[in-house]
Short mmCIF file of all heavy atoms in Angstrom, two decimals:
data_model
loop_
_atom_site.label_atom_id
_atom_site.label_comp_id
_atom_site.label_asym_id
_atom_site.label_seq_id
_atom_site.Cartn_x
_atom_site.Cartn_y
_atom_site.Cartn_z
N TRP A 28 3.60 25.91 -28.33
CA TRP A 28 2.41 25.16 -28.72
C TRP A 28 2.38 24.98 -30.24
O TRP A 28 1.87 24.00 -30.73
CB TRP A 28 1.15 25.87 -28.24
CG TRP A 28 0.80 25.51 -26.84
CD1 TRP A 28 1.53 25.79 -25.71
CD2 TRP A 28 -0.34 24.79 -26.39
NE1 TRP A 28 0.90 25.30 -24.61
CE2 TRP A 28 -0.25 24.67 -24.99
CE3 TRP A 28 -1.43 24.23 -27.03
CZ2 TRP A 28 -1.20 24.02 -24.23
CZ3 TRP A 28 -2.39 23.59 -26.27
CH2 TRP A 28 -2.27 23.49 -24.89
N TRP A 29 2.90 25.96 -30.99
CA TRP A 29 3.01 25.84 -32.43
C TRP A 29 4.37 26.39 -32.84
O TRP A 29 4.77 27.46 -32.40
CB TRP A 29 1.90 26.64 -33.13
CG TRP A 29 1.86 26.41 -34.60
CD1 TRP A 29 2.48 27.17 -35.56
CD2 TRP A 29 1.20 25.36 -35.29
NE1 TRP A 29 2.22 26.64 -36.79
CE2 TRP A 29 1.44 25.53 -36.66
CE3 TRP A 29 0.42 24.29 -34.89
CZ2 TRP A 29 0.93 24.68 -37.63
CZ3 TRP A 29 -0.10 23.43 -35.84
CH2 TRP A 29 0.16 23.64 -37.20
N TRP A 31 6.95 27.21 -36.16
CA TRP A 31 7.11 27.32 -37.61
C TRP A 31 8.50 26.87 -38.02
O TRP A 31 8.68 26.19 -38.99
CB TRP A 31 6.87 28.75 -38.07
CG TRP A 31 5.42 29.06 -38.14
CD1 TRP A 31 4.57 28.73 -39.14
CD2 TRP A 31 4.64 29.73 -37.16
NE1 TRP A 31 3.30 29.17 -38.84
CE2 TRP A 31 3.32 29.79 -37.64
CE3 TRP A 31 4.91 30.30 -35.93
CZ2 TRP A 31 2.29 30.38 -36.93
CZ3 TRP A 31 3.90 30.90 -35.22
CH2 TRP A 31 2.60 30.93 -35.72
N SER A 37 4.72 29.97 -31.28
CA SER A 37 3.56 30.60 -30.68
C SER A 37 3.09 29.74 -29.52
O SER A 37 3.18 28.51 -29.58
CB SER A 37 2.45 30.75 -31.72
OG SER A 37 1.33 31.38 -31.16
N ASP A 38 2.61 30.39 -28.47
CA ASP A 38 2.06 29.65 -27.34
C ASP A 38 0.70 30.23 -27.00
O ASP A 38 0.09 30.93 -27.80
CB ASP A 38 3.02 29.65 -26.15
CG ASP A 38 3.19 31.03 -25.52
OD1 ASP A 38 2.59 32.01 -26.00
OD2 ASP A 38 3.92 31.13 -24.53
N LEU A 39 0.23 29.94 -25.80
CA LEU A 39 -1.08 30.43 -25.39
C LEU A 39 -1.08 31.92 -25.07
O LEU A 39 -2.14 32.54 -25.02
CB LEU A 39 -1.56 29.66 -24.16
CG LEU A 39 -1.71 28.16 -24.34
CD1 LEU A 39 -2.18 27.53 -23.06
CD2 LEU A 39 -2.63 27.83 -25.49
N TRP A 40 0.08 32.48 -24.85
CA TRP A 40 0.14 33.87 -24.38
C TRP A 40 0.88 34.79 -25.35
O TRP A 40 0.53 35.96 -25.45
CB TRP A 40 0.83 33.92 -23.01
CG TRP A 40 0.30 32.87 -22.09
CD1 TRP A 40 0.90 31.69 -21.77
CD2 TRP A 40 -0.95 32.86 -21.41
NE1 TRP A 40 0.10 30.96 -20.92
CE2 TRP A 40 -1.04 31.66 -20.68
CE3 TRP A 40 -2.01 33.76 -21.33
CZ2 TRP A 40 -2.14 31.34 -19.89
CZ3 TRP A 40 -3.10 33.44 -20.55
CH2 TRP A 40 -3.16 32.24 -19.84
N TYR A 41 1.91 34.29 -26.04
CA TYR A 41 2.76 35.14 -26.87
C TYR A 41 3.09 34.47 -28.20
O TYR A 41 3.11 33.25 -28.30
CB TYR A 41 4.09 35.45 -26.17
CG TYR A 41 3.93 36.22 -24.89
CD1 TYR A 41 4.06 35.59 -23.67
CD2 TYR A 41 3.65 37.59 -24.91
CE1 TYR A 41 3.91 36.30 -22.49
CE2 TYR A 41 3.50 38.29 -23.73
CZ TYR A 41 3.63 37.65 -22.53
OH TYR A 41 3.47 38.35 -21.37
N ASN A 42 3.41 35.31 -29.18
CA ASN A 42 4.01 34.89 -30.44
C ASN A 42 5.45 35.40 -30.40
O ASN A 42 5.67 36.60 -30.23
CB ASN A 42 3.28 35.48 -31.64
CG ASN A 42 1.86 34.98 -31.72
OD1 ASN A 42 1.61 33.80 -31.50
ND2 ASN A 42 0.93 35.88 -32.03
N SER A 56 2.23 39.89 -27.55
CA SER A 56 1.03 39.21 -27.08
C SER A 56 0.26 38.60 -28.24
O SER A 56 0.19 39.17 -29.33
CB SER A 56 0.11 40.18 -26.34
OG SER A 56 0.73 40.62 -25.16
N SER A 57 -0.31 37.43 -27.98
CA SER A 57 -1.11 36.76 -29.00
C SER A 57 -2.40 37.54 -29.24
O SER A 57 -2.92 38.20 -28.35
CB SER A 57 -1.47 35.35 -28.54
OG SER A 57 -0.33 34.56 -28.43
N LYS A 58 -2.89 37.43 -30.47
CA LYS A 58 -4.16 38.06 -30.81
C LYS A 58 -5.26 37.35 -30.02
O LYS A 58 -5.39 36.13 -30.06
CB LYS A 58 -4.41 37.93 -32.31
CG LYS A 58 -5.67 38.62 -32.78
CD LYS A 58 -5.80 38.47 -34.27
CE LYS A 58 -6.88 37.45 -34.53
NZ LYS A 58 -7.16 37.23 -35.94
N GLU A 59 -6.03 38.10 -29.27
CA GLU A 59 -7.07 37.52 -28.42
C GLU A 59 -8.28 37.12 -29.27
O GLU A 59 -8.95 37.96 -29.84
CB GLU A 59 -7.51 38.52 -27.36
CG GLU A 59 -6.45 38.82 -26.32
CD GLU A 59 -6.15 37.64 -25.42
OE1 GLU A 59 -7.08 36.87 -25.11
OE2 GLU A 59 -4.98 37.48 -25.03
N THR A 60 -8.51 35.82 -29.34
CA THR A 60 -9.71 35.30 -29.97
C THR A 60 -10.48 34.51 -28.92
O THR A 60 -9.93 34.15 -27.88
CB THR A 60 -9.37 34.39 -31.16
OG1 THR A 60 -8.70 33.23 -30.67
CG2 THR A 60 -8.51 35.10 -32.18
N GLU A 61 -11.73 34.23 -29.21
CA GLU A 61 -12.54 33.48 -28.25
C GLU A 61 -11.98 32.08 -28.05
O GLU A 61 -11.98 31.56 -26.93
CB GLU A 61 -14.01 33.39 -28.73
CG GLU A 61 -14.75 34.70 -28.72
CD GLU A 61 -14.49 35.53 -29.97
OE1 GLU A 61 -13.95 35.00 -30.97
OE2 GLU A 61 -14.83 36.72 -29.95
N TRP A 62 -11.48 31.48 -29.11
CA TRP A 62 -10.94 30.12 -29.00
C TRP A 62 -9.67 30.10 -28.18
O TRP A 62 -9.46 29.20 -27.37
CB TRP A 62 -10.70 29.52 -30.39
CG TRP A 62 -11.96 29.31 -31.14
CD1 TRP A 62 -12.37 29.96 -32.27
CD2 TRP A 62 -13.01 28.39 -30.83
NE1 TRP A 62 -13.59 29.50 -32.67
CE2 TRP A 62 -14.01 28.52 -31.81
CE3 TRP A 62 -13.20 27.45 -29.81
CZ2 TRP A 62 -15.18 27.77 -31.80
CZ3 TRP A 62 -14.36 26.70 -29.82
CH2 TRP A 62 -15.33 26.86 -30.79
N LEU A 63 -8.81 31.09 -28.39
CA LEU A 63 -7.57 31.16 -27.61
C LEU A 63 -7.88 31.39 -26.13
O LEU A 63 -7.28 30.76 -25.25
CB LEU A 63 -6.66 32.27 -28.13
CG LEU A 63 -5.36 32.47 -27.35
CD1 LEU A 63 -4.50 31.22 -27.39
CD2 LEU A 63 -4.59 33.66 -27.90
N GLN A 64 -8.83 32.27 -25.85
CA GLN A 64 -9.22 32.50 -24.46
C GLN A 64 -9.80 31.25 -23.82
O GLN A 64 -9.55 30.97 -22.65
CB GLN A 64 -10.22 33.66 -24.37
CG GLN A 64 -9.58 35.00 -24.63
CD GLN A 64 -10.60 36.13 -24.61
OE1 GLN A 64 -11.80 35.91 -24.67
NE2 GLN A 64 -10.09 37.35 -24.54
N ALA A 65 -10.54 30.47 -24.58
CA ALA A 65 -11.09 29.22 -24.05
C ALA A 65 -9.96 28.25 -23.70
O ALA A 65 -9.98 27.62 -22.64
CB ALA A 65 -12.03 28.58 -25.07
N VAL A 66 -8.97 28.13 -24.57
CA VAL A 66 -7.84 27.25 -24.30
C VAL A 66 -7.06 27.74 -23.09
O VAL A 66 -6.67 26.95 -22.22
CB VAL A 66 -6.93 27.13 -25.55
CG1 VAL A 66 -5.68 26.34 -25.23
CG2 VAL A 66 -7.68 26.48 -26.70
N GLN A 67 -6.83 29.06 -23.00
CA GLN A 67 -6.11 29.62 -21.86
C GLN A 67 -6.84 29.31 -20.55
O GLN A 67 -6.24 28.84 -19.58
CB GLN A 67 -5.97 31.14 -22.01
CG GLN A 67 -5.02 31.58 -23.08
CD GLN A 67 -5.09 33.08 -23.33
OE1 GLN A 67 -6.07 33.76 -23.00
NE2 GLN A 67 -4.04 33.61 -23.94
N LEU A 69 -9.11 27.02 -19.89
CA LEU A 69 -9.17 25.59 -19.59
C LEU A 69 -7.82 25.06 -19.09
O LEU A 69 -7.79 24.23 -18.17
CB LEU A 69 -9.64 24.81 -20.82
CG LEU A 69 -11.12 24.99 -21.16
CD1 LEU A 69 -11.42 24.44 -22.55
CD2 LEU A 69 -11.99 24.33 -20.11
N CYS A 113 -10.22 19.16 -23.09
CA CYS A 113 -10.98 20.15 -23.85
C CYS A 113 -10.07 21.23 -24.44
O CYS A 113 -10.24 21.62 -25.60
CB CYS A 113 -12.05 20.79 -22.97
SG CYS A 113 -13.39 19.68 -22.55
N ALA A 114 -9.10 21.69 -23.66
CA ALA A 114 -8.17 22.71 -24.14
C ALA A 114 -7.35 22.20 -25.32
O ALA A 114 -7.23 22.88 -26.35
CB ALA A 114 -7.25 23.17 -23.01
N ALA A 115 -6.79 21.00 -25.19
CA ALA A 115 -5.98 20.45 -26.28
C ALA A 115 -6.83 20.16 -27.51
O ALA A 115 -6.39 20.37 -28.65
CB ALA A 115 -5.27 19.18 -25.80
N LEU A 116 -8.05 19.70 -27.30
CA LEU A 116 -8.94 19.42 -28.42
C LEU A 116 -9.33 20.70 -29.16
O LEU A 116 -9.32 20.74 -30.39
CB LEU A 116 -10.20 18.70 -27.92
CG LEU A 116 -11.14 18.18 -28.99
CD1 LEU A 116 -10.45 17.13 -29.85
CD2 LEU A 116 -12.39 17.60 -28.36
N ILE A 117 -9.65 21.75 -28.42
CA ILE A 117 -9.98 23.03 -29.05
C ILE A 117 -8.79 23.55 -29.84
O ILE A 117 -8.93 24.01 -30.98
CB ILE A 117 -10.44 24.06 -27.99
CG1 ILE A 117 -11.81 23.69 -27.45
CG2 ILE A 117 -10.46 25.47 -28.58
CD1 ILE A 117 -12.24 24.51 -26.25
N TYR A 118 -7.59 23.46 -29.26
CA TYR A 118 -6.40 23.94 -29.97
C TYR A 118 -6.15 23.10 -31.23
O TYR A 118 -5.74 23.63 -32.26
CB TYR A 118 -5.18 23.91 -29.05
CG TYR A 118 -4.04 24.77 -29.55
CD1 TYR A 118 -3.98 26.11 -29.23
CD2 TYR A 118 -3.05 24.24 -30.35
CE1 TYR A 118 -2.95 26.91 -29.70
CE2 TYR A 118 -2.00 25.01 -30.82
CZ TYR A 118 -1.96 26.35 -30.49
OH TYR A 118 -0.94 27.14 -30.96
N THR A 119 -6.40 21.81 -31.14
CA THR A 119 -6.21 20.94 -32.30
C THR A 119 -7.18 21.30 -33.43
O THR A 119 -6.78 21.42 -34.59
CB THR A 119 -6.45 19.47 -31.91
OG1 THR A 119 -5.57 19.11 -30.86
CG2 THR A 119 -6.23 18.55 -33.09
N LEU A 120 -8.44 21.49 -33.08
CA LEU A 120 -9.46 21.72 -34.09
C LEU A 120 -9.53 23.16 -34.58
O LEU A 120 -9.96 23.42 -35.71
CB LEU A 120 -10.84 21.29 -33.55
CG LEU A 120 -10.96 19.81 -33.18
CD1 LEU A 120 -12.32 19.54 -32.56
CD2 LEU A 120 -10.72 18.93 -34.39
N ARG A 121 -9.14 24.11 -33.75
CA ARG A 121 -9.30 25.53 -34.08
C ARG A 121 -7.98 26.28 -34.19
O ARG A 121 -7.95 27.50 -34.04
CB ARG A 121 -10.17 26.22 -33.02
CG ARG A 121 -11.59 25.74 -33.00
CD ARG A 121 -12.25 26.13 -34.28
NE ARG A 121 -13.65 25.71 -34.26
CZ ARG A 121 -14.50 26.06 -35.19
NH1 ARG A 121 -14.13 26.81 -36.18
NH2 ARG A 121 -15.73 25.64 -35.12
N ASN A 122 -6.87 25.58 -34.49
CA ASN A 122 -5.59 26.28 -34.54
C ASN A 122 -5.54 27.31 -35.67
O ASN A 122 -4.82 28.29 -35.57
CB ASN A 122 -4.42 25.31 -34.62
CG ASN A 122 -4.46 24.43 -35.84
OD1 ASN A 122 -5.37 24.52 -36.65
ND2 ASN A 122 -3.48 23.56 -35.95
N LYS A 123 -6.33 27.13 -36.73
CA LYS A 123 -6.37 28.13 -37.80
C LYS A 123 -6.97 29.45 -37.30
O LYS A 123 -6.59 30.52 -37.75
CB LYS A 123 -7.17 27.60 -38.98
CG LYS A 123 -6.48 26.49 -39.72
CD LYS A 123 -7.35 25.95 -40.83
CE LYS A 123 -6.72 24.80 -41.53
NZ LYS A 123 -6.68 23.58 -40.75
N ASP A 124 -7.91 29.36 -36.37
CA ASP A 124 -8.54 30.57 -35.82
C ASP A 124 -7.68 31.19 -34.71
O ASP A 124 -7.78 32.39 -34.45
CB ASP A 124 -9.91 30.23 -35.24
CG ASP A 124 -10.85 29.67 -36.29
OD1 ASP A 124 -10.73 30.07 -37.47
OD2 ASP A 124 -11.69 28.83 -35.93
N ILE A 125 -6.88 30.38 -34.06
CA ILE A 125 -6.10 30.85 -32.90
C ILE A 125 -4.79 31.49 -33.31
O ILE A 125 -4.39 32.53 -32.78
CB ILE A 125 -5.84 29.66 -31.93
CG1 ILE A 125 -7.15 29.21 -31.29
CG2 ILE A 125 -4.82 30.04 -30.87
CD1 ILE A 125 -7.04 27.95 -30.47
N LEU A 126 -4.10 30.90 -34.29
CA LEU A 126 -2.76 31.36 -34.66
C LEU A 126 -2.83 32.61 -35.51
O LEU A 126 -3.83 32.88 -36.16
CB LEU A 126 -2.03 30.23 -35.39
CG LEU A 126 -1.76 29.01 -34.51
CD1 LEU A 126 -1.29 27.85 -35.35
CD2 LEU A 126 -0.76 29.34 -33.43
N PRO A 127 -1.72 33.37 -35.53
CA PRO A 127 -1.72 34.63 -36.29
C PRO A 127 -1.90 34.38 -37.79
O PRO A 127 -1.47 33.38 -38.33
CB PRO A 127 -0.35 35.24 -36.00
CG PRO A 127 0.46 34.20 -35.35
CD PRO A 127 -0.47 33.15 -34.84
N ASP A 128 -2.54 35.34 -38.44
CA ASP A 128 -2.86 35.22 -39.85
C ASP A 128 -1.65 35.36 -40.76
O ASP A 128 -1.68 34.97 -41.91
CB ASP A 128 -3.89 36.28 -40.26
CG ASP A 128 -5.18 36.13 -39.48
OD1 ASP A 128 -5.51 34.98 -39.11
OD2 ASP A 128 -5.85 37.14 -39.24
N SER A 129 -0.57 35.92 -40.24
CA SER A 129 0.57 36.26 -41.08
C SER A 129 1.37 35.05 -41.53
O SER A 129 2.12 35.13 -42.47
CB SER A 129 1.48 37.24 -40.35
OG SER A 129 1.98 36.63 -39.17
N LYS A 130 1.25 33.94 -40.86
CA LYS A 130 2.07 32.77 -41.18
C LYS A 130 1.24 31.67 -41.84
O LYS A 130 0.07 31.51 -41.55
CB LYS A 130 2.72 32.22 -39.91
CG LYS A 130 3.72 33.14 -39.26
CD LYS A 130 4.89 33.39 -40.13
CE LYS A 130 5.83 32.21 -40.11
NZ LYS A 130 7.05 32.42 -40.84
N LEU A 132 0.15 28.02 -42.01
CA LEU A 132 0.09 26.94 -41.03
C LEU A 132 0.73 25.65 -41.53
O LEU A 132 1.22 24.85 -40.73
CB LEU A 132 -1.35 26.68 -40.63
CG LEU A 132 -2.01 27.78 -39.80
CD1 LEU A 132 -3.43 27.38 -39.46
CD2 LEU A 132 -1.23 28.05 -38.54
N PHE A 137 2.88 21.28 -34.48
CA PHE A 137 2.62 21.41 -33.06
C PHE A 137 3.91 21.26 -32.28
O PHE A 137 4.76 20.44 -32.60
CB PHE A 137 1.62 20.34 -32.60
CG PHE A 137 0.23 20.54 -33.14
CD1 PHE A 137 -0.28 19.71 -34.11
CD2 PHE A 137 -0.56 21.58 -32.66
CE1 PHE A 137 -1.56 19.91 -34.61
CE2 PHE A 137 -1.83 21.78 -33.16
CZ PHE A 137 -2.33 20.95 -34.13
N PHE A 141 2.19 21.47 -26.58
CA PHE A 141 0.93 20.89 -27.05
C PHE A 141 0.93 19.39 -26.80
O PHE A 141 -0.06 18.82 -26.32
CB PHE A 141 0.75 21.21 -28.54
CG PHE A 141 -0.42 20.53 -29.16
CD1 PHE A 141 -1.69 21.03 -28.98
CD2 PHE A 141 -0.26 19.39 -29.92
CE1 PHE A 141 -2.79 20.41 -29.56
CE2 PHE A 141 -1.34 18.76 -30.50
CZ PHE A 141 -2.61 19.27 -30.31
#
Side-chain angles (χ1 to χ4, degrees):
W28 275 65
W29 187 267
W31 282 280
S37 181
D38 68 359
L39 300 180
W40 314 102
Y41 297 104
N42 296 319
S56 294
S57 295
K58 184 179 105 178
E59 292 292 325
T60 66
E61 292 83 13
W62 294 113
L63 178 61
Q64 288 177 345
V66 174
Q67 289 171 340
L69 288 168
C113 290
L116 188 62
I117 289 171
Y118 198 87
T119 302
L120 298 176
R121 294 294 182 172
N122 60 0
K123 290 177 183 72
D124 300 328
I125 292 172
L126 295 169
D128 299 330
S129 62
K130 295 296 283 185
L132 290 181
F137 291 108
F141 173 80

